[in-house]
Amino acid sequence: MPLFEVFVRPRRGLQHQHAGSLRAEDAELALQYAREIYTRRREGVSLWVVRSSDITASQEDDAPAFFDPADDKPYRDATYYALPKEVKGL
Amino acid sequence: MAEAANELRDAEARFDQRIKRDERVEPKDWMPDGYRRTLIRQISQHAHSEVIGMQPEGSWITRAPSLKRKLILLAKVQDEGGHGLYLYSAAETLGASRDEMIDALQEGRAKYSSIFNYPALTWADIGAIGWLVDSAAIVNQIPLQRCSYGPYARAMVRICKEESFHQRQGYDIMLTLARGTAAQKAMAQDALDRWWWPTLMMFGPPDAESVHTSQSFAWKIKRHSNDELRQKFIDQAVPQAEVLGLAIPDPDLAWDEASGHYRIGPIDWDEFQRVVAGDGPCNRQRLAHHRRVREDGAWVREAVEAHAAKARARGARVGVEGAPDAAV
C-alpha cells in the first residue's frame, strides 16, 4: 500500500502545512483517512495528500553543504545595518 | 439551465460572503472573472516590475565601490529576481501562463512600475533606489499582505520581510555618502533630487483620477488609496532625509501642524503619463534588454529540457529519490 504525505491548511489565508503521513490504497481513500487521522478536532479547512514517492527531497546528510551558501551572507538581513537612533520607520 | 443559474448565484453569494467576512480566496474557489482578470493583471505587472527593476541596479554590480558593497548589491538584485518568481507563481495559480505574461510584457500590453524607466547614473542612485524606491514599495506592499487573494497575500509576507534589507542597505549607502567628503554628499543630494519625484509617482495617479480603484476596494485587493499611501511614505521619508542632512527637492514642502502631515508641492503628472506611455528615459532600453536576455538564455532552457527528456527516456527520475519522512 503506498505511503501518502498529508498537508493541512489550518485556516483560510494560511498555507498548507505538513502534518504527517499515512498508508492508503489510493489518493481518494488517503484523503478520507487523512480526515479521520489528522483533522478530528477541526484542525483544518483543507487537506492535500501527495504520494510520498512523488516528493523529491534534499538529503539530510548533505544538509550542511546544501544550505551553506547562505551561511556567510549576514548582509541579507536588515539588522546587519546599524542605523542612527533618530531614524524612524526603516 | 435554471439549475446552472442557481449554482452560479450560490457561488457568487459564497464569494461575496467570503470577501465581506475578510476571509482569503484560494485558487480552487469560484471567483468572478473580473476578480481573476484584475488579479492576473496586477500580480503579473508586479512581477514584471521586480524583474525589470533588476536592470538599473544590476548595471552597478561590476562598478560597486567595494567588495562588500558588491556582495550586498548582488544579493539584493538576486532577491528581486526571486520576488518576480514568487509573483509569477502566484499569478499562475489563477490560470495565467508564464509565457503569455512575458509576451504581454515584451509586446507592451502589460506595464511595469514606471520608476524603473529612470537610469541609475551614479553609485548614489543605488543608495537612493534602496532607500526611496524600496521604502515606497514596502508602503505599497504592507497592505497587500492582507489582500483577499491568499497566494498573493502570502507572497507579499515573504517579499516585505526581504525588502526591509533592501531599504536598510540603501539608507546605509546614503548615510555613508552624506557623512563623507563634500563631493560624496553632493552626489547623494543629486541622487535624491532625481529620485524624489519619480518615487512619489510610484503610488499612481491622484485618487480623483485613479481608474481601477473602486472595484479593487470592493474586492479587498486594495485597502488604501494612492494618495493615502503616498502621504504615508512622505511622512516617513522627510525626517529620514533630515537625519541624512539632505534637502528634499520641493520648495513647497511644509509641515502641517493641523493635520499632522507634511504637505508637498504639485507632482508633474504629465511626466508620469509620458513615462507610462513609453517615453521615459529608459523604456526602450529596458524592454530591449529583457528581450535580448530571454533570447540569449533560450539555449539553457532547451538544454535543461533535453536533459530531462533524455533522463525520462532512460526511465530515471531527474533529481534525488526519496520521500521526506518515509526513510526515517
Coordinates of all heavy atoms in Angstrom, one line a residue, chain B residues 165-223:
Chain B
F165 N 15.6 44.5 4.2 CA 17.1 44.6 4.0 C 17.4 45.6 2.8 O 18.4 46.3 2.9 CB 17.6 43.2 3.8 CG 18.6 43.0 2.6 CD1 19.8 43.7 2.6 CD2 18.4 42.0 1.7 CE1 20.7 43.5 1.5 CE2 19.3 41.8 0.6 CZ 20.5 42.6 0.5
H166 N 16.6 45.5 1.8 CA 16.9 46.4 0.6 C 16.9 47.9 1.0 O 17.7 48.7 0.7 CB 15.8 46.2 -0.4 CG 15.8 44.8 -1.0 ND1 15.0 44.3 -1.9 CD2 16.6 43.7 -0.7 CE1 15.2 43.1 -2.2 NE2 16.2 42.6 -1.4
Q167 N 15.9 48.2 1.8 CA 15.7 49.6 2.3 C 16.8 50.0 3.2 O 17.4 51.1 3.0 CB 14.3 49.6 3.0 CG 13.9 50.8 3.6 CD 12.7 50.5 4.5 OE1 12.7 49.6 5.3 NE2 11.7 51.4 4.5
R168 N 17.2 49.1 4.1 CA 18.3 49.5 5.0 C 19.6 49.6 4.3 O 20.4 50.5 4.6 CB 18.5 48.4 6.1 CG 17.3 48.3 7.0 CD 17.6 49.1 8.2 NE 16.7 48.7 9.3 CZ 17.1 48.2 10.5 NH1 18.4 48.0 10.7 NH2 16.2 47.8 11.3
Q169 N 19.9 48.7 3.3 CA 21.2 48.9 2.7 C 21.3 50.2 1.9 O 22.3 50.8 1.8 CB 21.6 47.6 1.9 CG 20.7 47.3 0.6 CD 21.1 48.1 -0.6 OE1 22.3 48.3 -0.8 NE2 20.1 48.6 -1.4
G170 N 20.1 50.6 1.3 CA 20.1 51.8 0.6 C 20.3 53.0 1.5 O 21.1 53.9 1.1
Y171 N 19.7 53.0 2.6 CA 19.9 54.1 3.6 C 21.3 54.1 4.1 O 21.9 55.2 4.2 CB 18.9 54.0 4.7 CG 18.7 55.3 5.5 CD1 17.9 56.3 5.1 CD2 19.4 55.4 6.7 CE1 17.8 57.5 5.8 CE2 19.3 56.6 7.4 CZ 18.5 57.6 7.0 OH 18.4 58.8 7.7
D172 N 21.9 53.0 4.2 CA 23.3 52.8 4.7 C 24.2 53.5 3.7 O 25.2 54.1 4.0 CB 23.6 51.3 4.9 CG 24.9 51.2 5.6 OD1 25.0 51.6 6.8 OD2 25.8 50.6 5.0
I173 N 24.0 53.3 2.4 CA 24.8 53.9 1.3 C 24.6 55.4 1.4 O 25.6 56.1 1.4 CB 24.4 53.4 0.0 CG1 24.8 51.9 -0.2 CG2 25.0 54.2 -1.2 CD1 24.2 51.3 -1.5
M174 N 23.4 55.9 1.5 CA 23.1 57.3 1.6 C 23.8 57.9 2.8 O 24.4 59.0 2.7 CB 21.6 57.6 1.7 CG 20.9 57.2 0.4 SD 21.5 58.1 -1.1 CE 20.5 59.6 -1.1
L175 N 23.7 57.2 3.9 CA 24.3 57.7 5.2 C 25.9 57.8 5.0 O 26.5 58.8 5.4 CB 24.0 56.7 6.3 CG 24.1 57.2 7.7 CD1 23.1 58.4 8.0 CD2 23.7 56.0 8.7
T176 N 26.5 56.8 4.4 CA 27.9 56.8 4.2 C 28.3 58.0 3.3 O 29.3 58.7 3.6 CB 28.3 55.5 3.6 OG1 27.9 54.4 4.4 CG2 29.9 55.4 3.5
L177 N 27.6 58.2 2.2 CA 27.9 59.3 1.3 C 27.7 60.6 2.0 O 28.5 61.6 1.9 CB 27.1 59.2 0.0 CG 27.4 58.0 -0.9 CD1 26.4 57.9 -2.0 CD2 28.8 58.1 -1.5
A178 N 26.6 60.8 2.7 CA 26.2 62.0 3.3 C 27.2 62.4 4.4 O 27.4 63.6 4.7 CB 24.8 62.0 3.9
R179 N 27.8 61.4 5.0 CA 28.8 61.7 6.0 C 30.3 61.7 5.5 O 31.2 61.8 6.2 CB 28.8 60.7 7.1 CG 27.5 60.8 8.0 CD 27.4 59.6 9.0 NE 26.3 59.8 9.9 CZ 26.0 58.9 10.8 NH1 26.6 57.8 10.9 NH2 24.9 59.1 11.6
G180 N 30.4 61.6 4.1 CA 31.7 61.6 3.5 C 32.2 62.9 3.1 O 31.9 64.0 3.7
T181 N 32.9 63.0 2.0 CA 33.5 64.2 1.5 C 32.4 65.1 0.9 O 31.3 64.6 0.7 CB 34.5 64.0 0.4 OG1 33.8 63.4 -0.7 CG2 35.6 63.0 0.8
A182 N 32.7 66.4 0.7 CA 31.7 67.3 0.1 C 31.2 66.7 -1.2 O 30.0 66.8 -1.6 CB 32.3 68.7 -0.1
A183 N 32.1 66.1 -2.0 CA 31.7 65.6 -3.3 C 30.8 64.4 -3.2 O 29.8 64.3 -3.9 CB 33.0 65.2 -4.1
Q184 N 31.1 63.6 -2.2 CA 30.2 62.4 -1.9 C 28.8 62.9 -1.5 O 27.8 62.4 -1.9 CB 30.8 61.5 -0.9 CG 32.0 60.7 -1.4 CD 32.7 59.9 -0.3 OE1 32.9 60.4 0.8 NE2 33.1 58.7 -0.7
K185 N 28.8 63.9 -0.6 CA 27.5 64.4 -0.1 C 26.7 65.0 -1.3 O 25.5 64.8 -1.4 CB 27.7 65.5 1.0 CG 26.4 65.9 1.6 CD 26.6 66.7 2.9 CE 25.2 67.0 3.5 NZ 25.2 67.8 4.7
A186 N 27.4 65.7 -2.2 CA 26.8 66.3 -3.3 C 26.2 65.3 -4.2 O 25.1 65.4 -4.8 CB 27.7 67.2 -4.1
M187 N 26.9 64.1 -4.3 CA 26.4 63.0 -5.2 C 25.1 62.4 -4.6 O 24.2 62.1 -5.3 CB 27.5 62.0 -5.2 CG 27.3 60.9 -6.3 SD 28.3 59.4 -5.9 CE 29.6 59.7 -7.1
A188 N 25.1 62.3 -3.2 CA 23.9 61.8 -2.6 C 22.7 62.8 -2.8 O 21.6 62.4 -3.1 CB 24.2 61.6 -1.1
Q189 N 23.0 64.1 -2.7 CA 21.9 65.1 -2.9 C 21.4 65.0 -4.3 O 20.2 65.1 -4.5 CB 22.5 66.5 -2.5 CG 21.4 67.6 -2.7 CD 20.3 67.5 -1.7 OE1 20.5 67.4 -0.5 NE2 19.0 67.4 -2.2
D190 N 22.3 64.9 -5.2 CA 21.9 64.8 -6.7 C 21.0 63.6 -6.9 O 20.0 63.7 -7.6 CB 23.2 64.7 -7.5 CG 22.8 64.4 -9.0 OD1 22.1 65.2 -9.6 OD2 23.2 63.3 -9.4
A191 N 21.3 62.5 -6.3 CA 20.5 61.3 -6.4 C 19.1 61.5 -5.8 O 18.1 61.2 -6.4 CB 21.2 60.1 -5.8
L192 N 19.1 62.1 -4.7 CA 17.8 62.4 -4.0 C 17.0 63.3 -4.9 O 15.8 63.2 -5.1 CB 18.0 63.0 -2.6 CG 16.8 63.6 -1.9 CD1 15.7 62.6 -1.7 CD2 17.2 64.1 -0.5
D193 N 17.7 64.4 -5.5 CA 17.0 65.3 -6.4 C 16.3 64.6 -7.5 O 15.2 64.9 -7.9 CB 18.0 66.3 -6.9 CG 18.5 67.3 -5.8 OD1 17.9 67.3 -4.7 OD2 19.4 68.0 -6.1
R194 N 17.0 63.6 -8.1 CA 16.4 63.0 -9.3 C 15.4 61.9 -9.0 O 14.5 61.6 -9.7 CB 17.6 62.4 -10.1 CG 18.3 63.5 -11.0 CD 19.4 62.9 -11.8 NE 20.5 62.4 -11.0 CZ 20.8 61.1 -10.8 NH1 20.1 60.2 -11.4 NH2 21.8 60.8 -10.0
W195 N 15.5 61.2 -7.8 CA 14.6 60.1 -7.5 C 13.4 60.5 -6.7 O 12.4 59.7 -6.6 CB 15.4 59.0 -6.8 CG 16.3 58.3 -7.7 CD1 17.6 58.6 -8.0 CD2 16.0 57.2 -8.6 NE1 18.1 57.7 -9.0 CE2 17.1 56.9 -9.4 CE3 14.8 56.5 -8.9 CZ2 17.1 55.9 -10.3 CZ3 14.8 55.5 -9.8 CH2 16.0 55.2 -10.5
W196 N 13.4 61.7 -6.0 CA 12.3 62.0 -5.2 C 10.9 62.0 -5.9 O 10.0 61.3 -5.5 CB 12.6 63.4 -4.5 CG 11.4 63.8 -3.7 CD1 10.5 64.9 -4.0 CD2 11.0 63.3 -2.4 NE1 9.6 65.0 -3.0 CE2 9.9 64.1 -2.0 CE3 11.4 62.3 -1.6 CZ2 9.2 63.8 -0.8 CZ3 10.8 62.1 -0.4 CH2 9.7 62.8 0.0
W197 N 10.8 62.8 -6.9 CA 9.5 63.0 -7.6 C 9.1 61.7 -8.3 O 7.9 61.3 -8.1 CB 9.5 64.2 -8.5 CG 9.6 65.5 -7.8 CD1 10.7 66.3 -7.7 CD2 8.6 66.1 -7.0 NE1 10.4 67.4 -6.9 CE2 9.1 67.3 -6.5 CE3 7.2 65.8 -6.7 CZ2 8.4 68.1 -5.7 CZ3 6.5 66.6 -5.9 CH2 7.1 67.8 -5.4
P198 N 9.9 61.0 -9.0 CA 9.5 59.7 -9.6 C 9.0 58.7 -8.6 O 8.1 57.9 -8.8 CB 10.7 59.2 -10.4 CG 11.5 60.5 -10.7 CD 11.3 61.4 -9.6
T199 N 9.7 58.8 -7.4 CA 9.2 57.8 -6.3 C 7.8 58.2 -5.9 O 7.0 57.3 -5.7 CB 10.2 57.9 -5.1 OG1 11.5 57.6 -5.5 CG2 9.8 56.9 -4.0
L200 N 7.5 59.5 -5.7 CA 6.1 59.9 -5.3 C 5.1 59.4 -6.4 O 4.0 59.1 -6.1 CB 6.0 61.4 -5.1 CG 6.9 61.9 -4.0 CD1 6.6 63.4 -3.8 CD2 6.7 61.2 -2.7
M201 N 5.6 59.4 -7.7 CA 4.6 58.9 -8.7 C 4.4 57.4 -8.7 O 3.4 56.9 -9.3 CB 5.2 59.3 -10.1 CG 5.3 60.8 -10.3 SD 6.2 61.1 -11.9 CE 6.7 62.8 -11.7
M202 N 5.2 56.7 -8.0 CA 5.1 55.2 -7.9 C 3.7 54.8 -7.3 O 3.2 53.7 -7.6 CB 6.1 54.6 -7.0 CG 7.5 54.4 -7.6 SD 8.6 53.8 -6.4 CE 8.1 52.1 -6.1
F203 N 3.1 55.7 -6.5 CA 1.8 55.3 -5.9 C 0.7 55.5 -6.8 O -0.5 55.2 -6.5 CB 1.6 56.2 -4.6 CG 2.7 55.9 -3.6 CD1 3.9 56.7 -3.5 CD2 2.6 54.8 -2.7 CE1 4.9 56.4 -2.6 CE2 3.5 54.5 -1.8 CZ 4.7 55.3 -1.7
G204 N 1.0 56.0 -8.0 CA -0.1 56.1 -9.0 C -0.8 57.4 -9.0 O -0.5 58.3 -8.1
P205 N -1.7 57.7 -10.0 CA -2.4 58.9 -10.1 C -3.1 59.3 -8.9 O -3.5 58.5 -8.0 CB -3.3 58.7 -11.3 CG -3.1 57.4 -11.8 CD -2.2 56.6 -10.9
P206 N -3.4 60.6 -8.7 CA -4.2 61.0 -7.5 C -5.6 60.3 -7.5 O -6.1 59.9 -8.5 CB -4.4 62.5 -7.8 CG -3.7 62.9 -9.0 CD -3.1 61.7 -9.6
D207 N -6.1 60.2 -6.3 CA -7.3 59.4 -6.1 C -8.5 59.8 -7.1 O -9.2 58.9 -7.6 CB -7.8 59.5 -4.7 CG -6.8 58.8 -3.7 OD1 -5.9 58.2 -4.2 OD2 -7.0 59.1 -2.5
A208 N -8.6 61.1 -7.3 CA -9.7 61.6 -8.1 C -9.6 61.0 -9.6 O -10.6 60.9 -10.2 CB -9.6 63.1 -8.2
E209 N -8.4 60.6 -10.0 CA -8.2 60.2 -11.4 C -7.9 58.7 -11.5 O -7.6 58.2 -12.6 CB -7.1 61.0 -12.1 CG -7.5 62.5 -12.2 CD -6.2 63.3 -12.4 OE1 -5.2 62.8 -13.0 OE2 -6.2 64.5 -11.9
S210 N -7.9 58.0 -10.4 CA -7.5 56.6 -10.5 C -8.6 55.7 -11.1 O -9.7 55.7 -10.6 CB -7.1 56.1 -9.1 OG -6.5 54.8 -9.2
V211 N -8.2 54.9 -12.1 CA -9.2 54.2 -12.9 C -9.7 52.9 -12.2 O -10.8 52.6 -12.2 CB -8.6 53.8 -14.3 CG1 -9.7 54.0 -15.3 CG2 -7.4 54.5 -14.6
H212 N -8.7 52.1 -11.7 CA -9.0 50.8 -11.3 C -9.5 50.7 -9.8 O -9.8 49.6 -9.3 CB -7.8 49.8 -11.4 CG -7.4 49.8 -12.8 ND1 -8.1 49.3 -13.9 CD2 -6.2 50.1 -13.4 CE1 -7.5 49.4 -15.0 NE2 -6.3 49.9 -14.8
T213 N -9.5 51.8 -9.1 CA -9.5 51.8 -7.7 C -10.8 51.2 -7.1 O -10.8 50.3 -6.2 CB -9.2 53.2 -7.1 OG1 -7.9 53.5 -7.5 CG2 -9.3 53.2 -5.6
S214 N -12.0 51.7 -7.5 CA -13.2 51.4 -6.6 C -13.5 49.9 -6.6 O -13.8 49.4 -5.5 CB -14.4 52.2 -7.1 OG -14.7 51.9 -8.4
Q215 N -13.5 49.2 -7.7 CA -13.8 47.8 -7.7 C -12.7 47.0 -6.9 O -13.1 46.1 -6.2 CB -13.8 47.2 -9.2 CG -14.2 45.8 -9.2 CD -15.6 45.5 -8.6 OE1 -16.6 45.9 -9.1 NE2 -15.6 44.7 -7.5
S216 N -11.5 47.4 -7.0 CA -10.4 46.8 -6.2 C -10.6 46.9 -4.7 O -10.3 46.0 -3.9 CB -9.0 47.3 -6.6 OG -8.7 46.8 -7.9
F217 N -11.2 48.1 -4.3 CA -11.5 48.3 -2.9 C -12.6 47.3 -2.5 O -12.6 46.6 -1.5 CB -12.0 49.7 -2.7 CG -10.9 50.6 -2.3 CD1 -10.5 51.6 -3.2 CD2 -10.3 50.6 -1.0 CE1 -9.4 52.4 -2.9 CE2 -9.3 51.4 -0.7 CZ -8.9 52.4 -1.6
A218 N -13.7 47.2 -3.4 CA -14.8 46.3 -3.0 C -14.3 44.9 -2.9 O -14.8 44.1 -2.0 CB -15.9 46.4 -4.1
W219 N -13.4 44.5 -3.7 CA -12.9 43.1 -3.6 C -11.8 42.9 -2.6 O -11.2 41.9 -2.5 CB -12.3 42.7 -5.0 CG -13.4 42.3 -6.0 CD1 -14.6 41.7 -5.7 CD2 -13.4 42.4 -7.4 NE1 -15.3 41.4 -6.8 CE2 -14.5 41.9 -7.9 CE3 -12.4 42.9 -8.3 CZ2 -14.8 41.8 -9.3 CZ3 -12.7 42.9 -9.7 CH2 -13.9 42.3 -10.2
K220 N -11.4 44.0 -1.9 CA -10.4 44.0 -0.9 C -9.0 43.5 -1.5 O -8.2 42.9 -0.8 CB -10.8 43.1 0.3 CG -11.9 43.7 1.1 CD -12.3 43.0 2.3 CE -13.5 43.7 3.0 NZ -14.0 42.9 4.1
I221 N -8.8 43.9 -2.7 CA -7.5 43.7 -3.3 C -6.7 44.9 -2.9 O -5.5 44.8 -2.6 CB -7.6 43.6 -4.9 CG1 -8.3 42.3 -5.3 CG2 -6.2 43.6 -5.5 CD1 -8.6 42.2 -6.8
K222 N -7.3 46.0 -2.9 CA -6.7 47.3 -2.5 C -7.4 47.8 -1.2 O -8.6 47.6 -1.1 CB -6.9 48.3 -3.6 CG -5.9 49.5 -3.6 CD -6.2 50.3 -4.9 CE -5.6 51.7 -4.8 NZ -4.2 51.7 -5.1
R223 N -6.6 48.3 -0.3 CA -7.2 48.7 1.0 C -6.9 50.1 1.4 O -7.5 50.6 2.3 CB -6.7 47.8 2.1 CG -7.3 46.4 2.0 CD -6.7 45.5 3.1 NE -7.2 44.1 3.0 CZ -8.3 43.7 3.7 NH1 -8.9 44.5 4.5 NH2 -8.7 42.4 3.5

